[in-house]
Amino acid sequence: MTEAAGTPATPAEIEARIARRRENLARTLDEIGVRVHPSTIADELRTRAAANIDRTAGRAVEAVNRTVTGVRSRFVTEDGAPRLDRLIPVALLTVAAVGLLVAANRRRRR
């Protein structure tokens, strides 16, 4: 039966409906075949992994930038001048630590 008029469908209409449904089913099966193909799945996984890596790298860069900015603000004034009251003690501690390492290394070699 035709849906609108309520009259019986002709054999040609039935055949046309069956042909349309077969085409739709074939298209659907082709799409499913592409979606479950190993290369398609591998490409999707590769894309997701790359996106995750990019996101993680971006977060790492942001964290490093925040840390560097924080450390820099402790040793440099807003106008860019060095804060000697903080730099000199750090420099002295660094020189002392290197001196101790050199002295310990020399003692081990003897």
Side-chain angles (χ1 to χ4, degrees), residues 1-10 13 17:
M1 295 186 140
T2 57
E3 295 174 22
T7 59
T10 65
E13 291 172 339
R17 244 188 278 149

Side-chain angles (χ1 to χ4, degrees), residues 101 103-110:
L101 289 173
N105 193 21
R106 286 186 182 173
R107 286 184 190 157
R108 275 193 231 142
R109 289 187 182 185
R110 289 184 188 179

Side-chain angles (χ1 to χ4, degrees), residues 76-89:
V76 179
T77 62
E78 290 180 12
D79 61 350
R83 290 184 170 177
L84 295 178
D85 59 323
R86 293 185 180 175
L87 283 174
I88 291 174

Side-chain angles (χ1 to χ4, degrees), residues 19-32:
R20 279 193 308 272
R21 287 185 179 160
R22 280 186 183 151
E23 289 173 12
N24 289 338
L25 180 60
R27 252 191 316 260
T28 302
L29 290 173
D30 288 344
E31 289 175 12
I32 290 171

